[in-house]
Coordinates of all heavy atoms in Angstrom, one line a residue:
M1 N -8.5 -2.6 -5.9 CA -9.3 -3.0 -4.8 C -9.4 -2.0 -3.7 O -8.7 -1.2 -3.4 CB -8.6 -4.4 -4.2 CG -9.5 -5.1 -3.2 SD -8.8 -6.6 -2.7 CE -9.0 -7.6 -4.2
Q2 N -10.8 -2.1 -3.1 CA -11.0 -1.1 -2.1 C -10.3 -1.3 -0.8 O -10.0 -2.4 -0.6 CB -12.5 -1.2 -1.9 CG -13.4 -0.9 -3.2 CD -13.4 0.6 -3.5 OE1 -13.5 1.6 -2.7 NE2 -13.4 0.8 -4.8
E3 N -10.2 -0.2 0.0 CA -9.5 -0.3 1.2 C -10.2 -1.4 2.1 O -9.6 -2.2 2.9 CB -9.4 1.0 2.0 CG -8.7 1.0 3.3 CD -8.7 2.3 3.9 OE1 -8.7 3.3 3.2 OE2 -8.6 2.4 5.2
K4 N -11.5 -1.4 2.2 CA -12.4 -2.3 3.1 C -12.0 -3.7 2.6 O -11.9 -4.7 3.6 CB -13.9 -1.9 2.9 CG -14.7 -2.8 3.8 CD -16.2 -2.2 3.7 CE -16.9 -2.9 2.6 NZ -18.2 -2.6 2.7
E5 N -11.8 -4.0 1.4 CA -11.6 -5.3 0.9 C -10.2 -5.8 1.3 O -9.9 -6.9 1.7 CB -11.8 -5.5 -0.6 CG -13.3 -5.4 -1.0 CD -13.4 -5.1 -2.6 OE1 -12.5 -4.3 -3.0 OE2 -14.4 -5.4 -3.1
I6 N -9.3 -4.9 1.1 CA -8.0 -5.1 1.5 C -7.8 -5.5 3.0 O -7.1 -6.3 3.5 CB -7.1 -3.9 1.0 CG1 -6.9 -4.0 -0.6 CG2 -5.6 -4.1 1.5 CD1 -6.2 -2.9 -1.2
R7 N -8.5 -4.6 3.8 CA -8.5 -4.9 5.3 C -8.9 -6.3 5.6 O -8.4 -7.0 6.5 CB -9.4 -3.8 6.0 CG -9.1 -3.7 7.4 CD -9.8 -2.6 8.1 NE -9.6 -1.3 7.5 CZ -10.7 -0.5 7.1 NH1 -12.0 -0.9 7.3 NH2 -10.4 0.5 6.5
L8 N -10.0 -6.8 4.9 CA -10.5 -8.2 5.3 C -9.6 -9.1 4.8 O -9.3 -10.2 5.4 CB -11.8 -8.4 4.3 CG -13.0 -7.5 4.9 CD1 -14.3 -7.8 3.9 CD2 -13.5 -8.1 6.2
L9 N -8.8 -9.0 3.6 CA -7.8 -9.9 3.2 C -6.6 -9.8 4.1 O -6.0 -10.9 4.4 CB -7.4 -9.7 1.8 CG -8.4 -9.8 0.7 CD1 -7.8 -9.4 -0.6 CD2 -8.8 -11.3 0.5
F10 N -6.3 -8.7 4.7 CA -5.3 -8.6 5.7 C -5.5 -9.5 6.9 O -4.7 -10.2 7.3 CB -5.0 -7.2 6.1 CG -3.9 -7.1 7.1 CD1 -2.5 -7.0 6.9 CD2 -4.2 -6.9 8.5 CE1 -1.7 -6.9 7.8 CE2 -3.4 -6.8 9.4 CZ -2.0 -6.9 9.1
R11 N -6.7 -9.3 7.4 CA -7.1 -10.1 8.5 C -7.1 -11.6 8.3 O -6.9 -12.4 9.1 CB -8.5 -9.7 9.1 CG -8.6 -8.2 9.6 CD -9.9 -7.8 10.1 NE -9.8 -6.4 10.5 CZ -10.8 -5.7 10.4 NH1 -12.0 -6.0 10.1 NH2 -10.8 -4.5 10.8
A12 N -7.3 -12.0 7.0 CA -7.3 -13.3 6.7 C -5.9 -13.9 6.5 O -5.7 -15.1 6.1 CB -8.3 -13.6 5.3
G13 N -4.9 -13.0 6.5 CA -3.4 -13.5 6.3 C -3.0 -13.6 4.9 O -2.1 -14.4 4.7
V14 N -3.6 -12.9 4.1 CA -3.3 -13.1 2.6 C -2.0 -12.4 2.3 O -1.3 -12.8 1.4 CB -4.5 -12.6 1.8 CG1 -4.1 -12.5 0.2 CG2 -5.8 -13.4 1.9
F15 N -1.7 -11.3 2.9 CA -0.5 -10.4 2.5 C 0.7 -10.8 3.1 O 0.8 -11.1 4.3 CB -0.9 -9.1 2.8 CG -2.1 -8.6 1.9 CD1 -3.2 -8.1 2.4 CD2 -2.0 -8.6 0.5 CE1 -4.2 -7.7 1.9 CE2 -3.1 -8.1 -0.2 CZ -4.3 -7.6 0.4
R16 N 1.9 -10.5 2.4 CA 3.2 -10.9 2.9 C 3.7 -9.3 3.2 O 4.5 -9.4 4.3 CB 4.0 -11.4 1.7 CG 5.5 -11.5 1.9 CD 6.1 -12.4 0.9 NE 5.7 -12.1 -0.5 CZ 6.3 -11.3 -1.4 NH1 7.4 -10.7 -1.0 NH2 5.8 -11.1 -2.6
S17 N 3.4 -8.3 2.5 CA 4.0 -7.1 2.6 C 3.2 -6.0 2.0 O 2.4 -6.2 1.2 CB 5.5 -6.9 2.3 OG 5.5 -7.1 0.9
C18 N 3.6 -4.6 2.3 CA 2.9 -3.6 1.7 C 4.1 -2.6 1.3 O 5.0 -2.5 2.1 CB 2.1 -2.9 2.8 SG 1.3 -1.3 2.2
K19 N 3.9 -2.1 0.1 CA 5.2 -1.3 -0.4 C 4.5 0.0 -0.9 O 3.5 0.1 -1.7 CB 5.8 -2.0 -1.6 CG 7.0 -1.4 -2.1 CD 7.6 -2.0 -3.4 CE 8.5 -3.2 -2.9 NZ 9.2 -3.8 -4.0
A20 N 5.3 1.0 -0.6 CA 5.0 2.3 -1.2 C 6.0 2.7 -2.2 O 7.2 2.5 -2.0 CB 4.9 3.4 0.0
S21 N 5.5 3.2 -3.3 CA 6.4 3.5 -4.4 C 5.9 4.8 -4.9 O 4.7 5.2 -5.0 CB 6.2 2.5 -5.6 OG 6.5 1.1 -5.2
P22 N 7.0 5.6 -5.4 CA 6.6 7.0 -5.9 C 5.9 6.9 -7.4 O 6.3 6.0 -8.1 CB 8.0 7.7 -5.9 CG 9.0 6.6 -6.0 CD 8.3 5.4 -5.3
I23 N 5.0 7.7 -7.6 CA 4.4 7.7 -9.0 C 5.4 8.6 -9.9 O 5.7 8.1 -10.8 CB 3.1 8.5 -9.0 CG1 2.1 7.7 -7.9 CG2 2.5 8.5 -10.4 CD1 0.9 8.4 -7.6
S24 N 5.8 9.7 -9.4 CA 6.9 10.5 -10.0 C 7.3 11.5 -8.9 O 6.6 11.5 -7.9 CB 6.4 11.3 -11.2 OG 5.6 12.3 -10.7
M25 N 8.4 12.1 -9.0 CA 8.9 12.9 -7.9 C 7.9 13.9 -7.5 O 8.0 14.5 -6.4 CB 10.2 13.6 -8.3 CG 11.2 12.5 -8.5 SD 11.4 11.3 -7.1 CE 12.5 12.3 -6.1
S26 N 7.0 14.4 -8.4 CA 6.1 15.5 -7.9 C 4.6 15.1 -7.7 O 4.0 15.9 -7.2 CB 6.2 16.6 -9.1 OG 5.6 16.0 -10.3
R27 N 4.3 13.9 -8.1 CA 2.9 13.6 -8.0 C 2.5 12.8 -6.8 O 1.4 12.8 -6.3 CB 2.5 12.6 -9.3 CG 2.3 13.4 -10.4 CD 1.7 12.7 -11.6 NE 0.6 12.0 -11.3 CZ 0.2 10.9 -11.9 NH1 0.8 10.4 -12.9 NH2 -0.9 10.4 -11.5
G28 N 3.5 12.1 -6.1 CA 3.1 11.4 -4.9 C 3.4 9.9 -4.8 O 4.3 9.4 -5.5
W29 N 2.6 9.1 -4.1 CA 3.0 7.7 -3.8 C 1.7 6.8 -4.0 O 0.6 7.3 -4.0 CB 3.3 7.6 -2.3 CG 4.5 8.4 -1.9 CD1 4.6 9.7 -1.6 CD2 5.7 7.9 -1.9 NE1 5.9 10.0 -1.4 CE2 6.7 9.0 -1.5 CE3 6.4 6.7 -2.1 CZ2 8.1 8.8 -1.3 CZ3 7.8 6.5 -2.0 CH2 8.5 7.6 -1.6
T30 N 1.9 5.6 -4.3 CA 1.0 4.5 -4.3 C 1.3 3.3 -3.4 O 2.4 3.3 -3.0 CB 0.8 3.9 -5.8 OG1 2.1 3.2 -6.1 CG2 0.5 4.9 -6.8
L31 N 0.3 2.6 -3.0 CA 0.5 1.4 -2.2 C 0.1 0.3 -2.9 O -0.8 0.1 -3.7 CB -0.5 1.5 -1.0 CG -0.2 2.4 0.1 CD1 -1.3 2.5 1.2 CD2 1.1 2.1 0.8
K32 N 1.1 -0.7 -2.8 CA 1.0 -2.0 -3.5 C 1.0 -3.1 -2.5 O 2.0 -3.1 -1.5 CB 2.1 -2.3 -4.6 CG 1.8 -1.2 -5.6 CD 2.4 -1.6 -6.9 CE 2.5 -0.5 -7.9 NZ 1.2 -0.1 -8.5
F33 N 0.2 -4.1 -2.5 CA 0.1 -5.1 -1.4 C 0.6 -6.5 -2.1 O 0.0 -6.9 -3.1 CB -1.3 -5.2 -0.9 CG -1.8 -3.9 -0.3 CD1 -2.5 -3.0 -1.1 CD2 -1.5 -3.6 1.0 CE1 -2.9 -1.9 -0.5 CE2 -1.9 -2.3 1.5 CZ -2.6 -1.5 0.8
H34 N 1.5 -7.1 -1.6 CA 2.1 -8.4 -2.0 C 1.5 -9.6 -1.3 O 1.7 -9.6 0.0 CB 3.7 -8.3 -2.0 CG 4.3 -7.2 -2.8 ND1 4.7 -7.4 -4.1 CD2 4.3 -5.9 -2.6 CE1 5.1 -6.3 -4.5 NE2 4.9 -5.4 -3.7
T35 N 0.9 -10.5 -1.9 CA 0.5 -11.6 -1.3 C 1.4 -12.8 -1.1 O 2.6 -12.7 -1.8 CB -0.8 -12.1 -2.1 OG1 -0.3 -12.8 -3.4 CG2 -1.9 -11.1 -2.5
H36 N 1.1 -13.7 -0.4 CA 2.1 -14.9 -0.2 C 2.2 -15.8 -1.6 O 3.1 -16.4 -1.8 CB 1.5 -16.0 0.8 CG 1.6 -15.2 2.0 ND1 2.8 -15.1 2.8 CD2 0.6 -14.8 3.0 CE1 2.6 -14.4 4.0 NE2 1.3 -14.3 4.1
N37 N 1.2 -15.6 -2.6 CA 1.3 -16.2 -3.8 C 2.0 -15.3 -5.0 O 1.9 -15.5 -6.1 CB -0.2 -16.4 -4.4 CG -0.9 -17.4 -3.5 OD1 -0.2 -18.2 -2.8 ND2 -2.1 -17.5 -3.5
D38 N 2.7 -14.3 -4.3 CA 3.4 -13.2 -5.4 C 2.5 -12.4 -6.3 O 2.9 -12.2 -7.4 CB 4.5 -14.1 -6.1 CG 5.7 -14.5 -5.1 OD1 5.9 -13.9 -4.2 OD2 6.2 -15.6 -5.4
E39 N 1.3 -12.3 -5.8 CA 0.4 -11.4 -6.6 C 0.4 -10.0 -6.0 O 0.8 -9.9 -4.9 CB -1.1 -11.9 -6.5 CG -1.4 -13.1 -7.2 CD -2.9 -13.5 -6.9 OE1 -3.7 -12.8 -7.3 OE2 -3.1 -14.6 -6.5
I40 N 0.3 -9.0 -6.8 CA 0.4 -7.6 -6.4 C -1.1 -7.0 -6.5 O -1.7 -7.1 -7.6 CB 1.3 -6.9 -7.1 CG1 2.8 -7.3 -7.1 CG2 1.3 -5.4 -6.7 CD1 3.7 -6.7 -7.8
I41 N -1.6 -6.5 -5.4 CA -2.9 -5.9 -5.4 C -2.7 -4.5 -5.2 O -1.9 -4.0 -4.3 CB -3.8 -6.5 -4.3 CG1 -4.0 -7.9 -4.6 CG2 -5.2 -5.7 -4.2 CD1 -4.8 -8.8 -3.6
T42 N -3.4 -3.5 -5.9 CA -3.2 -2.1 -5.8 C -4.5 -1.5 -5.0 O -5.6 -2.1 -5.2 CB -3.0 -1.3 -7.1 OG1 -4.2 -1.7 -7.9 CG2 -1.8 -1.7 -7.7
L43 N -4.4 -0.5 -4.3 CA -5.4 0.2 -3.7 C -6.1 1.2 -4.7 O -5.4 2.0 -5.2 CB -4.8 1.0 -2.3 CG -5.8 1.8 -1.6 CD1 -6.8 0.8 -1.1 CD2 -5.2 2.6 -0.5
D44 N -7.3 1.0 -4.8 CA -8.2 1.8 -5.7 C -8.8 3.0 -5.0 O -9.1 2.9 -3.9 CB -9.2 1.0 -6.6 CG -8.5 0.0 -7.5 OD1 -7.3 0.3 -7.8 OD2 -9.1 -1.1 -7.7
L45 N -9.3 3.9 -5.9 CA -10.2 5.0 -5.3 C -11.5 4.4 -4.9 O -12.0 3.4 -5.4 CB -10.3 6.1 -6.4 CG -9.1 6.9 -6.6 CD1 -9.4 7.9 -7.9 CD2 -8.7 7.8 -5.4
Q46 N -12.1 5.1 -4.1 CA -13.4 4.6 -3.6 C -14.6 4.5 -4.6 O -15.4 3.7 -4.8 CB -14.0 5.4 -2.4 CG -13.2 5.0 -1.2 CD -13.9 5.8 0.0 OE1 -14.7 6.6 -0.1 NE2 -13.4 5.4 1.2
R47 N -14.5 5.5 -5.5 CA -15.6 5.6 -6.5 C -15.2 5.2 -8.0 O -16.0 5.4 -8.8 CB -16.2 7.1 -6.5 CG -16.8 7.3 -5.2 CD -17.7 8.4 -5.2 NE -18.5 8.7 -4.1 CZ -18.3 9.5 -3.1 NH1 -17.3 10.4 -3.1 NH2 -19.0 9.5 -2.0
S48 N -14.0 4.7 -8.1 CA -13.6 4.4 -9.4 C -12.6 3.3 -9.4 O -12.1 2.9 -8.3 CB -13.0 5.5 -10.2 OG -11.8 5.9 -9.8
R49 N -12.2 2.7 -10.5 CA -11.1 1.7 -10.5 C -9.7 2.3 -10.7 O -8.7 1.5 -11.0 CB -11.4 0.5 -11.6 CG -12.5 -0.2 -11.5 CD -12.0 -1.5 -11.3 NE -12.9 -2.6 -11.2 CZ -13.0 -3.3 -10.1 NH1 -12.3 -2.9 -9.0 NH2 -13.6 -4.5 -10.1
E50 N -9.6 3.5 -10.5 CA -8.3 4.1 -10.6 C -7.5 3.9 -9.4 O -8.0 3.9 -8.3 CB -8.4 5.6 -10.9 CG -9.0 5.9 -12.3 CD -9.1 7.4 -12.4 OE1 -8.3 8.1 -12.0 OE2 -10.1 7.9 -13.1
E51 N -6.1 3.9 -9.5 CA -5.3 3.6 -8.5 C -5.3 4.8 -7.5 O -5.2 6.0 -8.0 CB -4.0 3.3 -8.9 CG -2.9 2.8 -7.9 CD -1.6 2.1 -8.6 OE1 -1.4 2.4 -9.7 OE2 -0.9 1.5 -7.8
R52 N -5.3 4.7 -6.2 CA -5.3 5.8 -5.3 C -3.9 6.3 -5.2 O -2.8 5.5 -5.2 CB -5.8 5.3 -4.0 CG -5.9 6.4 -2.9 CD -6.6 6.0 -1.7 NE -6.6 7.0 -0.7 CZ -7.0 6.9 0.5 NH1 -7.7 5.8 0.9 NH2 -7.0 7.9 1.4
E53 N -3.8 7.7 -5.2 CA -2.5 8.3 -5.1 C -2.5 9.2 -3.7 O -3.5 9.7 -3.5 CB -2.3 9.3 -6.3 CG -2.2 8.5 -7.6 CD -2.1 9.4 -8.8 OE1 -2.0 10.6 -8.7 OE2 -2.1 8.9 -10.0
F54 N -1.3 9.0 -3.1 CA -1.2 9.8 -1.9 C -0.2 11.0 -2.3 O 0.9 10.7 -2.8 CB -0.6 9.0 -0.8 CG -1.5 7.9 -0.5 CD1 -1.6 6.6 -1.1 CD2 -2.5 7.9 0.5 CE1 -2.4 5.5 -0.8 CE2 -3.5 6.9 0.8 CZ -3.3 5.7 0.2
K55 N -0.4 12.1 -1.6 CA 0.4 13.3 -1.8 C 1.7 13.1 -1.0 O 2.7 13.7 -1.4 CB -0.3 14.7 -1.3 CG -1.4 14.9 -2.3 CD -2.2 16.2 -1.8 CE -3.3 16.6 -2.7 NZ -4.0 17.6 -2.2
S56 N 1.6 12.4 0.2 CA 2.8 12.3 1.0 C 2.9 10.8 1.4 O 2.0 10.1 1.3 CB 2.7 13.2 2.3 OG 1.6 12.7 3.0
L57 N 4.3 10.5 1.8 CA 4.4 9.2 2.4 C 3.8 9.0 3.5 O 3.4 7.9 3.9 CB 6.0 9.0 2.5 CG 6.5 7.6 2.9 CD1 6.0 6.6 1.9 CD2 8.0 7.6 2.9
D58 N 3.7 10.0 4.4 CA 3.0 9.9 5.7 C 1.4 9.5 5.4 O 1.0 8.7 6.2 CB 2.9 11.3 6.4 CG 4.2 11.6 6.9 OD1 5.1 10.6 7.1 OD2 4.5 12.7 7.2
G59 N 0.8 10.0 4.4 CA -0.6 9.7 4.1 C -0.6 8.2 3.7 O -1.6 7.4 4.2
A60 N 0.4 7.7 2.8 CA 0.3 6.3 2.5 C 0.5 5.4 3.7 O -0.2 4.4 3.9 CB 1.3 6.1 1.4
A61 N 1.5 5.8 4.5 CA 1.7 5.0 5.8 C 0.7 4.9 6.7 O 0.4 3.9 7.4 CB 3.0 5.5 6.5
A62 N -0.3 6.1 6.9 CA -1.3 6.2 7.7 C -2.4 5.2 7.2 O -3.1 4.4 8.1 CB -2.0 7.5 7.8
V63 N -2.5 5.0 5.8 CA -3.6 4.1 5.4 C -3.1 2.6 5.5 O -3.9 1.8 5.9 CB -3.9 4.3 3.9 CG1 -4.7 3.3 3.3 CG2 -4.6 5.7 3.8
A64 N -1.8 2.4 5.3 CA -1.3 1.0 5.5 C -1.4 0.6 7.0 O -1.8 -0.6 7.3 CB 0.3 1.0 5.2
R65 N -1.2 1.6 8.0 CA -1.4 1.2 9.4 C -2.8 1.0 9.6 O -3.3 0.1 10.5 CB -0.9 2.4 10.1 CG -1.2 2.3 11.7 CD -0.2 1.2 12.2 NE -0.2 1.0 13.6 CZ -0.2 -0.2 14.2 NH1 0.1 -1.3 13.5 NH2 -0.4 -0.2 15.4
R66 N -3.8 1.8 9.1 CA -5.2 1.6 9.3 C -5.7 0.2 8.8 O -6.5 -0.5 9.4 CB -6.0 2.7 8.6 CG -7.5 2.8 8.9 CD -8.0 4.0 8.5 NE -8.0 4.3 7.0 CZ -7.9 5.4 6.5 NH1 -7.7 6.4 7.2 NH2 -7.8 5.5 5.2
I67 N -5.1 -0.2 7.8 CA -5.3 -1.6 7.3 C -4.9 -2.7 8.2 O -5.5 -3.7 8.3 CB -4.7 -1.8 5.8 CG1 -5.5 -0.8 4.9 CG2 -4.8 -3.2 5.4 CD1 -4.9 -0.8 3.5
G68 N -3.8 -2.4 8.9 CA -3.2 -3.4 9.9 C -1.7 -3.6 9.8 O -1.1 -4.4 10.6
F69 N -1.0 -3.1 8.7 CA 0.3 -3.3 8.6 C 1.1 -2.6 9.6 O 0.9 -1.5 9.9 CB 0.7 -2.8 7.1 CG 0.4 -3.7 6.2 CD1 -0.8 -3.6 5.5 CD2 1.1 -4.9 5.9 CE1 -1.2 -4.5 4.4 CE2 0.7 -5.8 4.8 CZ -0.4 -5.5 4.1
E70 N 2.1 -3.1 10.2 CA 3.1 -2.5 11.1 C 4.2 -1.9 10.5 O 4.8 -0.9 10.9 CB 3.5 -3.4 12.4 CG 2.4 -3.7 13.2 CD 2.8 -4.7 14.4 OE1 3.9 -4.5 14.7 OE2 2.0 -5.4 14.9
W71 N 4.7 -2.5 9.3 CA 5.8 -2.0 8.6 C 5.4 -1.8 7.2 O 4.5 -2.5 6.7 CB 6.9 -3.1 8.6 CG 7.5 -3.2 9.9 CD1 7.1 -4.1 10.9 CD2 8.6 -2.4 10.5 NE1 7.9 -3.9 12.1 CE2 8.8 -2.9 11.9 CE3 9.2 -1.4 10.0 CZ2 9.8 -2.3 12.7 CZ3 10.2 -0.8 10.9 CH2 10.6 -1.3 12.2
L72 N 6.1 -0.7 6.6 CA 5.8 -0.4 5.2 C 7.2 -0.4 4.4 O 8.1 0.2 4.9 CB 5.2 1.0 5.2 CG 5.0 1.6 3.8 CD1 3.9 0.8 3.0 CD2 4.6 3.1 4.1
H73 N 7.3 -1.1 3.4 CA 8.4 -1.1 2.5 C 8.3 0.1 1.6 O 7.4 0.3 1.0 CB 8.6 -2.4 1.7 CG 8.7 -3.6 2.5 ND1 9.9 -4.1 2.8 CD2 7.8 -4.4 3.2 CE1 9.9 -5.2 3.6 NE2 8.6 -5.4 3.8
V74 N 9.4 0.9 1.6 CA 9.5 2.1 0.7 C 10.6 1.8 -0.4 O 11.6 1.4 -0.1 CB 9.7 3.3 1.6 CG1 9.8 4.6 0.6 CG2 8.8 3.4 2.8
Q75 N 10.1 2.1 -1.7 CA 11.1 1.9 -2.7 C 11.2 3.3 -3.5 O 10.1 3.7 -4.0 CB 10.7 0.7 -3.6 CG 11.5 0.6 -4.8 CD 11.1 -0.6 -5.6 OE1 10.2 -1.2 -5.5 NE2 12.0 -0.9 -6.6
L76 N 12.3 3.6 -3.6 CA 12.7 4.9 -4.3 C 13.8 4.6 -5.3 O 15.0 4.6 -4.9 CB 13.0 6.0 -3.3 CG 13.2 7.4 -3.8 CD1 11.8 7.8 -4.5 CD2 13.5 8.4 -2.8
G77 N 13.5 4.3 -6.6 CA 14.5 3.9 -7.5 C 15.2 2.6 -7.1 O 14.4 1.6 -6.8
D78 N 16.5 2.6 -6.9 CA 17.2 1.4 -6.4 C 17.2 1.2 -5.0 O 17.5 0.2 -4.5 CB 18.5 1.3 -7.1 CG 18.5 1.1 -8.6 OD1 17.5 0.5 -9.2 OD2 19.6 1.5 -9.2
M79 N 16.9 2.3 -4.3 CA 16.9 2.3 -2.8 C 15.7 1.8 -2.3 O 14.6 2.2 -2.8 CB 17.1 3.7 -2.4 CG 17.5 3.9 -1.0 SD 18.1 5.6 -0.4 CE 16.9 6.7 -1.3
E80 N 15.8 0.9 -1.2 CA 14.6 0.3 -0.7 C 14.8 0.2 0.8 O 15.8 -0.1 1.3 CB 14.3 -1.0 -1.2 CG 12.9 -1.5 -0.9 CD 12.5 -2.9 -1.5 OE1 13.0 -3.0 -2.8 OE2 11.8 -3.7 -1.1
W81 N 13.9 0.6 1.7 CA 14.0 0.5 3.1 C 12.5 0.2 3.8 O 11.5 0.3 3.1 CB 14.7 1.7 3.8 CG 13.7 2.9 3.7 CD1 12.9 3.4 4.7 CD2 13.7 3.9 2.6 NE1 12.3 4.6 4.2 CE2 12.7 5.0 3.0 CE3 14.3 4.0 1.4 CZ2 12.4 6.0 2.2 CZ3 13.9 5.1 0.6 CH2 13.0 6.0 1.1
R82 N 12.6 -0.1 5.1 CA 11.4 -0.4 5.7 C 11.1 0.7 6.8 O 11.9 1.2 7.4 CB 11.4 -1.6 6.6 CG 11.3 -2.9 5.8 CD 11.5 -4.2 6.6 NE 10.9 -4.0 7.9 CZ 10.5 -5.1 8.7 NH1 10.6 -6.2 8.1 NH2 10.0 -4.9 10.0
E83 N 9.8 1.3 6.8 CA 9.4 2.2 7.7 C 8.4 1.6 8.7 O 7.5 0.8 8.3 CB 8.8 3.3 7.0 CG 9.6 4.2 6.2 CD 10.2 5.4 7.1 OE1 9.6 5.9 8.1 OE2 11.4 5.6 7.0
K84 N 8.3 2.2 10.0 CA 7.4 1.8 10.9 C 6.1 2.5 10.5 O 6.1 3.6 10.4 CB 7.7 2.1 12.4 CG 6.8 1.5 13.3 CD 7.1 0.3 13.8 CE 6.3 0.0 15.1 NZ 6.2 -1.4 15.3
A85 N 5.0 1.8 10.1 CA 3.7 2.5 9.7 C 3.1 3.2 10.9 O 3.2 2.9 12.0 CB 2.7 1.6 9.1

């Protein structure tokens, strides 16, 4: 789903949380948005249906903040924590 559409859904109160997960240790991060209905929505690239990848956690957090999230859940293997976006 596009960032613009996710922002609209955020304003409508659809999401419970936003999670950043590593793609692999060298490739970067993805954002996944969890709804109150336990659905998972991924952020896609603007010109294709491929999942958007971020080179850094800072970049992913900046987009989560731009959408409206104040907190970002970060998962790295079995370790999970919350970051201020």
Side-chain angles (χ1 to χ4, degrees):
M1 190 174 282
Q2 302 284 320
E3 181 180 335
K4 185 170 93 174
E5 297 165 323
I6 291 174
R7 196 175 309 127
L8 289 172
L9 290 175
F10 176 84
R11 290 181 186 149
V14 170
F15 297 115
R16 172 172 45 96
S17 65
C18 176
K19 184 183 280 187
S21 301
I23 300 166
S24 71
M25 293 310 274
S26 62
R27 287 189 49 203
W29 299 83
T30 62
L31 285 178
K32 302 208 184 288
F33 303 92
H34 298 261
T35 68
H36 292 290
N37 297 334
D38 293 326
E39 292 179 53
I40 298 174
I41 296 175
T42 58
L43 179 63
D44 294 337
L45 293 169
Q46 285 185 348
R47 294 197 171 101
S48 73
R49 286 245 184 254
E50 293 180 34
E51 192 170 10
R52 185 169 174 185
E53 298 176 1
F54 298 90
K55 292 180 183 176
S56 69
L57 184 56
D58 289 342
V63 170
R65 179 71 180 142
R66 190 168 59 219
I67 289 170
F69 288 94
E70 291 186 28
W71 291 94
L72 177 66
H73 293 267
V74 181
Q75 182 175 2
L76 189 58
D78 291 337
M79 190 170 47
E80 190 170 335
W81 71 92
R82 282 178 38 156
E83 284 280 318
K84 184 92 168 159

